[in-house]
């Protein structure tokens, strides 16, 4: 039985187990299930998956719903948290909520679980209003919707500025040879509210892990959302991250994606601008080696006038690693005075590394500023010589150059402790200790 | 200190240096002058160890040791410093952090511990004052958005921090206004001692008004075609390079 058949066969058992009150939601899930039954998994024949093959990942015999209740010691996993500052934490172990590792609140705002929001009638109105409203019908998103049950549910009411960042962390202990996870997050940020979120998927096993995650974020007028994704997983963990963001007028939303590890990582990041004076910021650093693969597939949909989008993705590829950047910007006819900016710069450290970069601009308005720049190159030899001349050995000099190359993304991280953490991960990956925080 | 013997070097099979002989003793200042394309910067880069050039004949020794096969950082650890004509921008790395790294990597190579933070800070302050650099400057990203003058001043600041045995200043006067030129030259003069040596590469006599050379050499078509004392630089300033070309022809 292949994975698709196995998943289909498991659906009835899943339905019996879950407790969703709303018929509306149940209908959405049934429809998504039927859609997945028809379309199945994406293949390289699809334009959007031309450079990323999931074949090797889909071959595994996945355990779909880990049954055991697993506990992990804080000391074992502390390093995966940003722990030098106070934060809210929503932590899952093998898809189950860990109240021991979490720190949540229901006071003035909801930072809790999707499963309880789905099960309790007091959340029905919000759930029915937002759930699956912007997630598309793509193969894997539909699959996630069909099995949507657990994840973070965050609802920030009007005028609330959340005083500390929220961390969403999914640990996978994976006692079976292969485990598949499908977390589903729903984040609703009301008018004039402000929130910072850090998301991480972390495998604690050498067994295979496949995570197919969907996150929907709604930013109402005058709100600000800063979202950070840390992807520094083990070599046997693959991730398909599907994130959808809807912005109303006068909002600023940013997503930073730090892709430092994992087996195959695919980021489907979609921004929909549903008002005026919106700023959408998409930034990323990819720094990989071995046979790792990272694919950034972005979409910014400019629908209304007077909005901006800024994309800045830096990629550094060593050994036999491969990267994809597929950045699509659509500017509708009504979206005059749009300012859309896209930058994608790549450095290939090794002759065996590959990057496939494909900017895609579809512009139907005539009074717009759209720019895109894509570069693929090697490390600057003159820069290396300059630093070596000052006594800095080649390895350290290379690290400094890579750091300098990624700096435009790093410097826009608004949480200083997170910025330091990213710097340390980079320094560790590059095997350097420069006597100051990279 | 520095002995260069019959040095031939090429890049992509094109010969640029065609037999250079040069002896520089401790305590001396040598000026290398010559028209564009003569090979002046190439010579500086080859002494510092830039890898894209191939030495086809001859050798370079520093204090009796052949350095022509060493990596650039190894030469730096032995006391070779090159002030770049076009210093590289490194966003996100401050002037202070960069020089700390350079100093501690040099110490590490010599088997020494890192310089204590207090001593480092004191030294940075002293040397920054020498180059008339303020504190704000020290926390800027290295060379990013620096004016031509700031870049050159920062190069000499690094030289002051690293205290090299042999300093090569490649066109350090280009892009400098008269005030910056004075500050930079003043810095170099204060660092000069009987134990170190300086090679000044320049097109013009201007810098040599401030940094007095003991010897002046004219480099033309990959060879040193004429050597003399400081008066040679004045003569070149007056007559240009054409008379040398005629003399050779």
């Amino acid at each position: 039985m292949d994975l698709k058949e196995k998943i289909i066969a498991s659906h009835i058992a899943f339905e019996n187990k879950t407790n969703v009150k709303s018929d509306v939601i149940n209908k959405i899930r049934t429809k998504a299930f039927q859609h997945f039954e028809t379309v199945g998994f994406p293949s390289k024949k699809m334009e959007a998956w031309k450079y990323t093959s999931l074949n090797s990942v889909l071959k595994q015999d996945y355990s779909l719903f880990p049954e055991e209740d697993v506990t992990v010691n804080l000391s074992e996993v502390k390093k995966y948290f940003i722990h030098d500052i106070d934060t809210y934490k929503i932590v899952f172990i093998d898809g189950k909520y860990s109240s021991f590792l979490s720190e949540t609140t229901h006071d003035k705002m909801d930072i809790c679980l999707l499963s309880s929001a789905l099960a309790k009638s007091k959340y029905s109105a919000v759930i029915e209003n937002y759930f699956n409203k912007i997630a598309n019908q793509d193969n894997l998103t539909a699959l996630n919707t069909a099995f949507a049950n657990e994840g973070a549910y965050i609802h920030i009411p009007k005028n609330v500025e959340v005083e500390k960042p929220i961390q969403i962390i999914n640990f996978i202990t994976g006692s079976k040879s292969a485990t598949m996870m499908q977390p589903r997050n729903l984040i609703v940020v009301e008018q004039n509210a402000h929130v910072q979120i850090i998301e991480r998927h972390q495998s604690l096993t050498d067994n295979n892990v496949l995570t197919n995650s969907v996150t929907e974020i709604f930013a109402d007028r005058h709100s600000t959302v800063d979202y950070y994704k840390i992807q520094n997983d083990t070599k046997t963990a693959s991730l398909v991250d599907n994130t959808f963001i809807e912005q109303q007028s006068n909002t600023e939303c940013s997503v930073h994606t730090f892709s430092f590890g994992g087996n195959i990582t695919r980021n489907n990041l979609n921004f929909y601008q549903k008002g005026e004076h919106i700023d959408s910021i998409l930034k990323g650093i990819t720094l990989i080696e071995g046979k790792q693969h990272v694919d950034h597939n972005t979409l910014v949909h400019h629908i209304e006038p007077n909005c901006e989008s800024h994309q800045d993705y830096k990629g550094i590829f060593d050994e036999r690693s491969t990267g994809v950047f597929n950045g699509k910007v659509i500017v509708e006819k009504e979206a005059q005075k749009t300012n859309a900016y896209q930058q994608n710069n790549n450095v290939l450290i090794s002759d065996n590394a590959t990057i496939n970069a494909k900017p895609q601009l579809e512009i139907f308005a005539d009074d717009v500023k759209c720019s895109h720049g894509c570069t693929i190159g090697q490390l600057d030899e003159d820069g290396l010589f300059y630093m070596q001349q000052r006594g800095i050995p080649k390895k350290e000099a290379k690290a400094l150059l890579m750091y300098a190359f990624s700096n435009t993304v790093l410097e826009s991280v608004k949480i200083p402790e997170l910025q330091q953490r990213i710097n340390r991960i980079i320094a560790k990956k590059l095997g350097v200790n420069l006597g100051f925080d990279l | 200190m520095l002995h260069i013997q019959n040095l031939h070097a090429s890049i992509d099979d094109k010969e640029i240096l065609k037999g250079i002989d040069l002896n520089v003793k401790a305590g001396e200042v040598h000026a290398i002058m010559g028209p564009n394309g003569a090979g002046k910067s190439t010579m500086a880069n080859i002494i510092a160890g830039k890898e894209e050039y191939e030495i086809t004949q001859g050798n370079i020794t520093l204090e009796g040791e052949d350095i022509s096969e060493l990596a650039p950082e190894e030469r730096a650890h032995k006391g070779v410093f090159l002030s770049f004509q076009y210093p590289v921008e490194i966003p996100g790395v401050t002037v202070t952090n960069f020089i700390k790294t350079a100093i501690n990597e040099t110490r590490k190579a010599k088997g020494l511990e890192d310089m204590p933070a207090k001593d480092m800070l004191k030294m940075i302050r002293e040397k920054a004052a020498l180059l008339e650099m303020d504190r704000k400057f020290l926390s800027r990203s290295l060379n990013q958005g620096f004016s031509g003058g700031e870049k050159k001043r920062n190069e000499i600041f690094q030289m002051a921090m690293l205290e090299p045995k042999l300093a090569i200043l490649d066109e350090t006067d280009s892009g400098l206004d008269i005030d910056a030129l004075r500050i930079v030259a003043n810095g170099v003069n204060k660092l000069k001692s009987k134990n170190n040596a300086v090679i000044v590469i320049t097109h013009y006599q201007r810098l040599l008004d401030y940094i007095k050379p003991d010897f002046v050499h004219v480099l033309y078509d990959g060879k040193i075609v004429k050597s003399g004392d400081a008066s040679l630089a004045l003569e070149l300033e007056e007559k240009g390079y054409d008379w040398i070309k005629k003399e050779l022809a």
Side-chain angles (χ1 to χ4, degrees):
Chain A
M1 187 157 49
D2 74 5
L3 185 57
K4 183 186 168 190
E5 289 165 13
K6 189 172 176 178
I7 286 170
I8 290 167
S10 73
H11 195 247
I12 294 171
F14 169 80
E15 283 295 305
N16 291 337
K17 223 174 53 172
T18 53
N19 177 18
V20 177
K21 288 278 181 295
S22 163
D23 286 342
V24 178
I25 302 300
N26 281 325
K27 265 185 204 147
I28 290 173
R29 294 206 302 194
T30 307
K31 211 178 137 203
F33 179 73
Q34 286 162 351
H35 184 66
F36 176 75
E37 239 185 327
T38 317
V39 297
F41 286 103
S43 75
K44 284 189 87 169
K45 285 182 198 141
M46 297 164 66
E47 185 63 26
W49 290 86
K50 198 172 167 188
Y51 300 109
T52 297
S53 168
L54 292 176
N55 284 347
S56 62
V57 168
L58 298 176
K59 272 196 315 225
Q60 310 294 332
D61 184 21
Y62 288 101
S63 151
L64 297 177
F65 310 105
E67 286 300 328
E68 311 97 283
D69 275 320
V70 187
T71 51
V72 298
N73 291 324
L74 179 60
S75 58
E76 263 171 65
V77 295
K78 199 179 168 199
K79 61 181 175 191
Y80 301 117
F81 292 93
I82 305 295
H83 51 73
D84 32 14
I85 46 166
D86 200 12
T87 59
Y88 292 113
K89 298 173 193 74
I90 312 174
V91 182
F92 301 95
I93 300 170
D94 295 338
K96 291 201 178 95
Y97 177 64
S98 163
S99 59
F100 171 63
L101 293 174
S102 298
E103 197 183 324
T104 58
T105 177
H106 299 265
D107 180 33
K108 281 188 252 168
M109 52 192 159
D110 294 308
I111 297 176
C112 57
L113 305 179
L114 186 71
S115 58
S116 25
L118 288 171
K120 290 178 192 163
S121 51
K122 73 163 178 169
Y123 296 106
S124 297
V126 179
I127 290 285
E128 285 179 11
N129 222 353
Y130 293 103
F131 181 82
N132 210 49
K133 281 285 157 31
I134 43 172
N136 59 28
Q137 281 285 302
D138 281 359
N139 316 48
L140 290 163
T141 307
L143 173 60
N144 178 290
T145 303
F147 290 89
N149 179 47
E150 192 58 293
Y153 172 77
I154 297 171
H155 183 191
I156 314 296
K158 219 169 156 176
N159 298 329
V160 172
E161 189 160 327
V162 186
E163 76 285 10
K164 49 190 185 185
I166 302 167
Q167 302 193 66
I168 305 171
I169 304 187
N170 294 279
F171 290 117
I172 298 104
T173 65
S175 54
K176 301 276 165 41
S177 72
T179 308
M180 184 173 179
M181 305 303 308
Q182 300 213 66
R184 175 80 174 213
N185 304 314
L186 178 62
I187 296 157
V188 179
V189 183
E190 287 193 15
Q191 282 180 39
N192 210 30
H194 179 192
V195 65
Q196 297 179 317
I197 297 169
I198 302 163
E199 180 192 322
R200 186 165 189 160
H201 302 271
Q202 188 63 49
S203 163
L204 304 172
T205 171
D206 290 335
N207 290 330
N208 289 299
V209 172
L210 171 60
T211 301
N212 176 36
S213 171
V214 171
T215 302
E216 289 179 283
I217 302 169
F218 296 85
D220 206 347
R221 281 173 294 154
H222 295 279
S223 64
T224 309
V225 179
D226 296 315
Y227 206 101
Y228 302 94
K229 293 172 184 287
I230 304 177
Q231 301 172 343
N232 189 23
D233 218 334
T234 62
K235 290 191 169 57
T236 53
S238 293
L239 170 68
V240 179
D241 179 308
N242 309 280
T243 298
F244 306 88
I245 301 183
E246 179 181 295
Q247 292 182 255
Q248 298 293 333
S249 291
N250 300 93
T251 51
E252 187 190 306
C253 292
S254 70
V255 174
H256 285 71
T257 308
F258 297 102
S259 309
F260 298 146
N263 175 21
I264 291 173
T265 306
R266 162 74 173 225
N267 288 293
N268 296 314
L269 179 57
N270 306 276
F271 277 75
Y272 307 99
Q273 297 187 335
K274 300 268 179 82
E276 293 196 42
H277 306 290
I278 290 170
D279 198 358
S280 304
I281 297 150
L282 302 79
K283 295 197 178 203
I285 299 175
T286 303
L287 175 57
I288 52 171
E289 66 287 313
K291 286 182 169 178
Q292 295 177 328
H293 177 91
V294 172
D295 179 348
H296 289 289
N297 190 68
T298 67
L299 166 70
V300 179
H301 196 168
H302 287 274
I303 301 163
E304 303 279 342
N306 300 312
C307 293
E308 299 192 6
S309 65
H310 299 267
Q311 297 193 57
D312 184 4
Y313 281 84
K314 307 290 188 211
I316 302 170
F317 303 90
D318 201 355
E319 297 174 353
R320 308 191 74 86
S321 64
T322 49
V324 182
F325 177 79
N326 194 346
K328 190 172 184 178
V329 175
I330 305 173
V331 182
E332 295 290 350
K333 212 165 110 191
E334 293 75 24
Q336 298 293 358
K337 307 277 181 198
T338 289
N339 187 0
Y341 169 92
Q342 187 186 82
Q343 188 72 31
N344 171 231
N345 309 103
N346 302 288
V347 173
L348 301 178
I349 305 286
S350 128
D351 290 342
N352 297 317
T354 309
I355 170 78
N356 290 292
K358 191 174 131 197
Q360 240 179 304
L361 276 66
E362 295 176 13
I363 301 166
F364 302 101
D366 49 18
D367 185 13
V368 299
K369 272 189 221 159
C370 293
S371 69
H372 74 96
C374 178
T375 62
I376 298 170
Q378 270 83 39
L379 278 183
D380 173 21
E381 290 291 332
D382 290 336
L384 277 183
F385 176 56
Y386 179 73
M387 286 188 262
Q388 285 178 277
Q389 206 300 304
R390 296 297 136 91
I392 300 173
K394 204 167 190 174
K395 184 166 125 190
E396 280 73 15
K398 276 186 177 175
L400 279 178
L401 274 189
M402 292 184 215
Y403 178 72
F405 171 75
S406 331
N407 191 252
T408 51
V409 176
L410 275 172
E411 68 181 6
S412 66
V413 172
K414 289 184 197 156
I415 306 168
E417 293 77 8
L418 178 64
Q419 200 180 48
Q420 278 164 21
R421 170 63 68 89
I422 303 288
N423 283 341
R424 283 198 289 270
I425 297 176
I426 293 177
K428 195 176 165 198
K429 271 194 78 98
L430 300 175
V432 295
N433 180 3
L434 296 158
F436 64 93
D437 252 347
L438 238 189
Chain B
M1 175 171 296
L2 178 76
H3 281 277
I4 298 179
Q5 238 179 350
N6 190 31
L7 185 68
H8 290 253
S10 53
I11 184 165
D12 301 334
D13 290 331
K14 188 177 174 245
E15 191 168 48
I16 310 225
L17 300 187
K18 301 173 179 173
I20 301 252
D21 289 286
L22 183 69
N23 284 314
V24 180
K25 295 198 185 79
E28 291 178 350
V29 176
H30 288 241
I32 311 273
M33 302 182 75
N36 278 332
K40 301 190 299 293
S41 287
T42 300
M43 190 177 115
N45 284 325
I46 286 173
I47 298 171
K50 194 164 192 189
E51 277 154 18
E52 62 195 67
Y53 296 102
E54 194 195 343
I55 296 178
T56 50
Q57 264 188 72
N59 59 54
I60 308 167
T61 61
L62 185 76
E63 295 189 308
E65 186 190 352
D66 188 347
I67 59 166
S68 45
E69 295 292 319
L70 297 183
E73 63 268 32
E74 292 171 317
R75 299 184 201 204
H77 298 154
K78 292 192 183 301
V80 175
F81 179 91
L82 170 62
S83 168
F84 280 59
Q85 191 176 355
Y86 304 107
V88 175
E89 298 188 4
I90 310 180
V93 178
T94 63
V95 171
T96 302
N97 277 337
F98 185 73
I99 195 64
K100 272 187 199 166
T101 306
I103 285 190
N104 285 330
E105 289 295 344
T106 301
R107 290 175 66 96
K108 204 191 281 173
K110 291 177 181 165
L112 300 170
E113 294 282 303
D114 280 1
M115 186 185 279
K118 213 179 79 189
D119 298 355
M120 180 80 78
L121 195 66
K122 188 166 166 265
M123 190 176 178
I124 288 174
R125 284 203 184 134
E126 274 172 27
K127 306 297 185 187
L130 178 69
L131 275 306
E132 300 181 28
M133 292 158 66
D134 63 22
R135 242 179 245 185
K136 236 187 268 164
F137 187 86
L138 294 170
S139 55
R140 284 172 67 185
S141 284
L142 189 73
N143 293 321
Q144 198 184 22
F146 285 15
S147 69
E150 286 172 330
K151 280 184 181 166
K152 297 300 166 69
R153 229 193 282 186
N154 182 48
E155 290 292 281
I156 304 305
F157 164 72
Q158 294 186 40
M159 170 184 158
M161 291 292 295
L162 290 162
E163 300 176 326
K165 281 180 197 149
L166 174 71
I168 307 163
L169 312 182
D170 187 10
E171 307 272 356
T172 296
D173 50 337
S174 69
L176 290 192
D177 62 30
I178 199 75
D179 290 327
L181 184 68
R182 185 185 48 74
I183 294 168
V184 163
N186 187 32
V188 173
N189 285 330
K190 287 217 174 113
L191 298 170
K192 247 177 20 188
S193 79
K194 62 180 190 328
N195 301 318
N196 60 29
V198 182
I199 297 175
V200 181
I201 293 173
T202 182
H203 269 295
Y204 307 106
Q205 149 70 18
R206 194 170 78 139
L207 181 64
L208 304 178
D209 285 340
Y210 296 92
I211 306 172
K212 296 269 182 252
D214 301 302
F215 299 94
V216 174
H217 309 278
V218 179
L219 189 65
Y220 178 68
D221 194 24
K223 276 186 229 161
I224 289 176
V225 294
K226 205 171 183 65
S227 295
D229 60 14
S231 64
L232 177 58
L234 291 168
E235 201 176 351
L236 287 169
E237 179 79 0
E238 200 181 314
K239 300 189 194 166
Y241 291 106
D242 283 349
W243 64 278
I244 288 185
K245 289 181 198 169
K246 270 178 210 149
E247 242 183 50
L248 290 170

